[in-house]
Amino acid sequence: MQRAALFRGGDAQMAAGDLGELLVPYMPTIRVPKSGDRVYKTECAFSYDSPDSEGGLYVCMNTFLGFGREHIERHYRKTGQCVYLHLKRHVVEKVPGASGGALPKRRNAKLFLDLEISSDLNSDDFEYEDEAKLVIFPDHYEISLPNIEELPALVTIACDALLSAKSPYRKQEPDSWEEELQASKHAKTLVQLDNGVRIPPSGWKCSKCDLRENLWLNLTDGSVLCGKWFFDGSGGNGHAMEHYKETGYPLAVKLGTITPDGADVYSFDEEEPVLDPHIAKHLAHFGIDMLQMQVTENGLRDNDIKPRVSEWEVIQEAGVKLKPMYGPGYTGMKNLGNSCYLNAVMQAIFSIPEFQRAYVGNLPRIFDYSPLDPTQDFNTQMAKLGHGLLSGQYSKPPMKSELIEQVMKEEHKPQHNGISPRMFKAFISKGHPEFSSNRQQDAQEFFLHLINLVERNPVGSENPSDVFRFLVEERTQCCQSRKVRYTERVDYIMQLPVAMEAATNKDELIAYELKRREAEAARRPLPELVRAKIPFSACLQAFSEPSNVEDFWSSALQAKSAGVKTSRFASFPEYLVVQIKKFTFGLDWIPKKLDVSIDMPDFLDISHLRARGLQPGEEELPDIAPPIVIPDDPKALDIDESSVMQLAEMGFPLEACRKAVYYTGNLGAEVAFNWIIAHMEEPDFAEPLVIPAFGEVASSGAAALGAVGLDNQPPEEMVAIIISMGFQRNLAIQALKATNNNLERALEWIFSHPDPEEENDPALDTMDMENNANANILAETGSEGPRIKDGPGRYELFGFISHMGTSTMSGHYVCHLRKEGRWVIYNDLRVCASERPPKDLGYIYFYHRIPS
């Protein structure tokens, strides 16, 4: 008989002394979780197993890492740790009462306070029952809990502390978790005036100042007024608060946040956001049906929904019965709260064979050689996510018996499959000011962030991100001297401008705009949206046309002059990622989205955009660097707003763009772009620009362009400036070191040392490695040149990511992928066969090269 049976209850129970004796050899390895310890009791470090899984979850009593049944042996072999707390959640049928109803029954419910409750469980007939026990490896001895009388005090304290520990993601992402809202004391007894007020579905504005954003509906009298001092930080003139002070009407709901699941409610009296359990009834009083409101993510800006209802419906294929898809490659991802941008990008990434082979194909090796804390290892978490999406383990169709039950009990929902990428998001966003928040983000910016991480964490002999890399040839011409300069850079995305002037339905657009203004003025429902129809050929033509170079300095004239630049492909990537530049800034710096329809082709040929290099008859610009002017007083330096706007349109935070332009001395958007890439991982990357006082700069020498490190290495900003002029990184560092970080003298030093000796200073190598940790992944410094996979410029569309909403700071992302001959829609957890893929409304498109 196995000894494990002795610990499962029944007649054979070990005495308290026997249990204590059994645990004595392992007592030094059992720890009590302290403040700051991350306790992973809801998810396996290597898979998406949890206490809900068939095998439950094993939590190490020393490292507090969680492991599913398939991975627990690996951790035991690697660490020798023997004692684990096994957690298992069971779904059991409720015990019927004498009257035929069900009696509530829950044992050990307090064990998993922060374990998510599935919304699919029919709570009338079933409930959860939680189980915990200690397991001792390698013989799998089991000790059921609670067993306070028989266990040593240290073990009891450790188990209790582990079971009551908070989620580790709350510690890692303090900004992304809101406090749990409480029901308002006014909700149950709220008096609503019978004044006949009905709220229209759109066209709202403040009744006192005509503002059309940050609008709040008072739930007592139906007044629509602007906010100011509310928890979401939106602006306004405070008329909603003034109204409360005049009337005492306590509750207001934010317009634009109403969904079938609830709304943002604020209590003026309680001075905090609250829950209104009767919100549906309170809204119905003013003619608002919650169930008819568009389901959105948290944080939508006002008026996002109704004016763009057609966009939401078309992209999500609403109104069409879509067939759910199950199995390998058809696994959904849970939305963690504005994380759809991550879900959409990762679905597209792991549909590419090179990424599948790099991470899922190498999964055993990656897992076996992972560090002691695999939750903090990029390759481990990528392999885990890839396996979760591709294995089919978390995407299984309901059993026939379940389907019959669904028919018999209409209220019983089908079991949701899918994975929750909480551990993955927590790791890859750690330290990033934007992605670590719970706000909506730009999918294109996240794509580049992911590629940056892939570059910095090589796996195997080939880097999977190489499939996106291509060389761009930039031809810059001085308009006065007609001389040219050719440079090359590495890129990962083809950014395609929207040629609005080429719209084929201009008359319809003009008529729609007139009707829209009339409807807003009369507070009538808006007319059906008319979307600009743009030919793809016009966008491609706009990409290939020359663009003006701001503040161009001509080395031929030794002065500023007019200049134009054209871009061509020096190489074509294996996978071409095309971003439609829908997002721009208005004159008031408010980000907005161009609502357009572009006839994106299934087959794309850009062979005519192949670079040709220096042509016969062209004369090159002299290789002379412009003079560097560093102001004595940094406050005297004006920031070039045109360069700031160019960078902001690429998707970078506005304040980061301002800092980049400032710290690179207004030398143009390209130089500032290098600064951004080199500093985008810094914690204060998106913080507002703080210009130091004159005395501070004077005392730190060249600190106006970046602080000198403790190891006396040159400031990275100065290095970036020299690199942007076409010089190698090592040469830039040598020159700055030789001239005590004087930028002008460093340039003179470079020209007087055309063939400098190789420097093998270990400190220099270390500094290079540290700088490359925040690396400019678009600038190559290795002697072997950039890694490219050149080939023909003919492509076939296999996927696209679409965005719904008015800006990258709000809305929702959906991914469509072509698999096994048909299109599939990935809408967070929902994975279905697509009936009408909206290829004309995409934001990011993925093309695969057609073999020649």
Coordinates of all heavy atoms in Angstrom, one line a residue, residues 667-711:
L667 N 18.2 68.9 -34.1 CA 18.9 68.5 -35.4 C 18.0 67.7 -36.3 O 18.4 67.1 -37.3 CB 20.1 67.6 -35.0 CG 21.2 68.4 -34.3 CD1 22.3 67.5 -34.0 CD2 21.7 69.5 -35.2
G668 N 16.7 67.6 -36.0 CA 15.7 67.0 -36.9 C 15.1 65.7 -36.3 O 15.6 65.2 -35.3
A669 N 14.1 65.2 -37.0 CA 13.3 64.1 -36.5 C 14.1 62.8 -36.5 O 14.0 61.9 -35.7 CB 12.0 63.9 -37.3
E670 N 15.0 62.6 -37.5 CA 15.8 61.4 -37.6 C 16.7 61.2 -36.4 O 16.8 60.1 -35.8 CB 16.5 61.3 -38.9 CG 15.6 61.1 -40.1 CD 16.4 60.9 -41.4 OE1 17.4 60.2 -41.3 OE2 16.1 61.5 -42.4
V671 N 17.4 62.3 -36.1 CA 18.4 62.2 -35.0 C 17.6 62.0 -33.7 O 18.0 61.2 -32.8 CB 19.2 63.5 -34.9 CG1 20.1 63.5 -33.7 CG2 20.0 63.7 -36.2
A672 N 16.5 62.7 -33.5 CA 15.6 62.5 -32.3 C 15.0 61.1 -32.3 O 14.9 60.6 -31.2 CB 14.5 63.6 -32.4
F673 N 14.7 60.5 -33.4 CA 14.2 59.2 -33.5 C 15.3 58.2 -32.9 O 14.9 57.3 -32.1 CB 13.9 58.8 -34.9 CG 13.5 57.3 -35.1 CD1 12.2 57.0 -34.7 CD2 14.3 56.4 -35.5 CE1 11.7 55.7 -34.9 CE2 13.9 55.0 -35.6 CZ 12.6 54.7 -35.3
N674 N 16.5 58.4 -33.2 CA 17.6 57.5 -32.6 C 17.6 57.7 -31.1 O 17.8 56.7 -30.4 CB 19.0 57.9 -33.2 CG 19.1 57.5 -34.6 OD1 18.4 56.6 -35.1 ND2 20.0 58.1 -35.4
W675 N 17.4 58.9 -30.6 CA 17.4 59.1 -29.1 C 16.2 58.4 -28.5 O 16.4 57.7 -27.5 CB 17.3 60.6 -28.9 CG 17.4 61.0 -27.4 CD1 18.5 61.4 -26.7 CD2 16.3 60.9 -26.4 NE1 18.2 61.6 -25.4 CE2 16.9 61.3 -25.2 CE3 15.0 60.6 -26.5 CZ2 16.1 61.4 -24.0 CZ3 14.2 60.7 -25.3 CH2 14.8 61.1 -24.1
I676 N 15.1 58.4 -29.2 CA 13.9 57.7 -28.6 C 14.1 56.2 -28.5 O 13.8 55.6 -27.5 CB 12.7 58.0 -29.5 CG1 12.1 59.4 -29.3 CG2 11.5 57.0 -29.3 CD1 10.9 59.8 -30.1
I677 N 14.6 55.6 -29.6 CA 14.8 54.2 -29.5 C 15.9 53.8 -28.5 O 15.7 52.7 -27.8 CB 15.3 53.7 -30.9 CG1 14.2 53.9 -32.0 CG2 15.6 52.2 -30.9 CD1 12.9 53.2 -31.7
A678 N 16.8 54.6 -28.2 CA 17.9 54.3 -27.2 C 17.4 54.5 -25.8 O 18.0 54.0 -24.9 CB 19.1 55.2 -27.5
H679 N 16.3 55.2 -25.6 CA 15.8 55.6 -24.3 C 14.4 55.1 -24.0 O 13.9 55.4 -22.9 CB 15.9 57.1 -24.0 CG 17.3 57.6 -24.0 ND1 18.0 57.9 -25.2 CD2 18.1 57.9 -23.0 CE1 19.2 58.3 -24.9 NE2 19.3 58.4 -23.6
M680 N 13.8 54.3 -24.9 CA 12.3 54.0 -24.7 C 12.1 53.1 -23.6 O 10.9 52.9 -23.1 CB 11.7 53.5 -26.0 CG 12.3 52.2 -26.5 SD 11.7 51.8 -28.2 CE 9.9 52.0 -28.0
E681 N 13.1 52.4 -23.0 CA 12.9 51.5 -21.9 C 13.1 52.1 -20.6 O 12.9 51.5 -19.5 CB 13.8 50.3 -22.0 CG 13.7 49.5 -23.3 CD 12.3 48.9 -23.5 OE1 11.7 48.5 -22.5 OE2 11.8 48.8 -24.6
E682 N 13.5 53.4 -20.6 CA 13.8 54.1 -19.3 C 12.4 54.4 -18.6 O 11.4 54.7 -19.2 CB 14.6 55.4 -19.5 CG 16.0 55.1 -20.1 CD 16.7 56.3 -20.4 OE1 16.2 57.4 -20.2 OE2 17.9 56.2 -20.8
P683 N 12.4 54.3 -17.2 CA 11.2 54.5 -16.5 C 10.5 55.9 -16.7 O 9.3 56.0 -16.7 CB 11.6 54.4 -15.0 CG 12.9 53.6 -15.1 CD 13.5 53.9 -16.4
D684 N 11.4 56.9 -17.0 CA 10.8 58.3 -17.1 C 10.7 58.7 -18.6 O 10.6 59.9 -18.9 CB 11.7 59.3 -16.4 CG 13.1 59.4 -16.9 OD1 13.5 58.4 -17.7 OD2 13.8 60.3 -16.6
F685 N 10.7 57.7 -19.5 CA 10.6 57.9 -20.9 C 9.5 58.9 -21.3 O 9.7 59.8 -22.1 CB 10.5 56.6 -21.6 CG 10.3 56.7 -23.1 CD1 11.4 57.2 -23.9 CD2 9.1 56.3 -23.7 CE1 11.2 57.3 -25.3 CE2 9.0 56.4 -25.1 CZ 10.0 56.9 -25.9
A686 N 8.3 58.7 -20.8 CA 7.2 59.5 -21.2 C 6.8 60.6 -20.2 O 5.8 61.2 -20.3 CB 6.0 58.6 -21.4
E687 N 7.7 60.8 -19.2 CA 7.5 61.9 -18.3 C 7.7 63.2 -18.9 O 8.5 63.3 -19.9 CB 8.4 61.7 -17.1 CG 8.1 60.5 -16.3 CD 6.8 60.5 -15.7 OE1 6.3 61.5 -15.2 OE2 6.1 59.4 -15.7
P688 N 7.1 64.3 -18.4 CA 7.3 65.6 -19.1 C 8.7 66.1 -19.0 O 9.5 65.7 -18.1 CB 6.4 66.5 -18.2 CG 5.4 65.6 -17.6 CD 6.1 64.3 -17.4
L689 N 9.1 66.9 -20.0 CA 10.4 67.4 -20.1 C 10.6 68.4 -19.0 O 9.9 69.4 -18.8 CB 10.6 68.1 -21.5 CG 11.9 68.9 -21.7 CD1 13.1 68.0 -21.6 CD2 11.8 69.6 -23.0
V690 N 11.7 68.2 -18.3 CA 12.1 69.2 -17.2 C 13.5 69.8 -17.6 O 14.5 69.1 -17.6 CB 12.2 68.5 -15.8 CG1 12.7 69.6 -14.8 CG2 10.9 67.9 -15.4
I691 N 13.5 71.0 -18.0 CA 14.7 71.7 -18.5 C 15.5 72.1 -17.2 O 15.0 72.9 -16.4 CB 14.4 72.9 -19.4 CG1 13.6 72.4 -20.6 CG2 15.7 73.6 -19.8 CD1 13.2 73.5 -21.6
P692 N 16.7 71.7 -17.1 CA 17.5 72.0 -15.9 C 17.8 73.5 -15.8 O 17.9 74.2 -16.9 CB 18.7 71.2 -16.0 CG 18.9 70.9 -17.4 CD 17.5 70.8 -18.0
A693 N 18.1 74.0 -14.6 CA 18.5 75.4 -14.5 C 19.9 75.6 -15.1 O 20.7 74.6 -15.2 CB 18.5 75.8 -13.0
F694 N 20.3 76.8 -15.4 CA 21.5 77.1 -16.0 C 22.7 76.7 -15.1 O 23.7 76.1 -15.6 CB 21.7 78.6 -16.2 CG 23.0 79.0 -16.8 CD1 23.3 78.7 -18.1 CD2 23.9 79.7 -16.0 CE1 24.6 79.1 -18.6 CE2 25.2 80.1 -16.5 CZ 25.5 79.8 -17.8
G695 N 22.6 76.9 -13.8 CA 23.7 76.5 -12.9 C 23.9 75.0 -13.0 O 25.1 74.5 -12.9
E696 N 22.9 74.2 -13.1 CA 23.0 72.8 -13.1 C 23.8 72.3 -14.3 O 24.6 71.4 -14.3 CB 21.6 72.1 -13.1 CG 20.9 72.3 -11.8 CD 19.5 71.7 -11.9 OE1 19.3 70.5 -11.7 OE2 18.5 72.5 -12.2
V697 N 23.5 72.9 -15.4 CA 24.1 72.5 -16.7 C 25.6 72.9 -16.6 O 26.5 72.2 -17.0 CB 23.4 73.2 -17.9 CG1 24.2 72.9 -19.2 CG2 22.0 72.8 -18.0
A698 N 25.8 74.1 -16.1 CA 27.2 74.6 -16.1 C 28.1 73.7 -15.2 O 29.2 73.4 -15.6 CB 27.3 76.0 -15.6
S699 N 27.5 73.2 -14.2 CA 28.3 72.4 -13.3 C 28.6 71.0 -13.8 O 29.5 70.3 -13.4 CB 27.6 72.3 -11.9 OG 26.4 71.6 -12.1
S700 N 27.7 70.6 -14.8 CA 27.9 69.2 -15.3 C 28.4 69.2 -16.7 O 28.4 68.1 -17.4 CB 26.5 68.5 -15.3 OG 25.6 69.2 -16.0
G701 N 28.9 70.3 -17.2 CA 29.6 70.3 -18.5 C 28.6 70.0 -19.6 O 27.8 70.8 -19.9
A702 N 28.8 68.8 -20.2 CA 27.9 68.5 -21.4 C 26.6 67.9 -21.0 O 26.0 67.3 -21.8 CB 28.7 67.5 -22.2
A703 N 26.2 68.1 -19.8 CA 25.0 67.4 -19.3 C 23.7 67.9 -20.1 O 22.7 67.3 -20.0 CB 24.8 67.6 -17.8
A704 N 23.8 69.0 -20.8 CA 22.7 69.4 -21.6 C 22.3 68.3 -22.6 O 21.1 68.3 -23.0 CB 23.0 70.7 -22.3
L705 N 23.2 67.5 -23.0 CA 22.8 66.4 -23.9 C 22.9 65.1 -23.2 O 23.0 64.0 -23.9 CB 23.7 66.4 -25.1 CG 23.5 67.6 -26.1 CD1 24.5 67.6 -27.2 CD2 22.1 67.5 -26.6
G706 N 22.8 65.0 -21.9 CA 22.8 63.7 -21.3 C 23.9 63.6 -20.2 O 25.0 64.1 -20.4
A707 N 23.6 63.0 -19.1 CA 24.5 62.9 -18.0 C 25.6 62.0 -18.2 O 25.4 60.9 -18.8 CB 23.7 62.5 -16.7
V708 N 26.8 62.3 -17.8 CA 28.0 61.4 -17.9 C 27.9 60.3 -16.8 O 27.6 60.6 -15.7 CB 29.3 62.2 -17.8 CG1 30.4 61.3 -17.9 CG2 29.3 63.3 -18.8
G709 N 28.1 59.1 -17.2 CA 27.9 58.0 -16.3 C 29.1 57.9 -15.3 O 30.1 58.6 -15.4
L710 N 28.9 57.1 -14.2 CA 29.9 57.0 -13.2 C 31.2 56.4 -13.7 O 32.3 56.7 -13.2 CB 29.4 56.1 -12.1 CG 28.2 56.6 -11.3 CD1 27.7 55.6 -10.3 CD2 28.5 57.9 -10.6
D711 N 31.1 55.7 -14.8 CA 32.4 55.1 -15.4 C 33.0 56.0 -16.4 O 33.8 55.7 -17.2 CB 32.1 53.7 -16.1 CG 31.0 53.8 -17.1 OD1 30.4 54.9 -17.2 OD2 30.7 52.8 -17.7

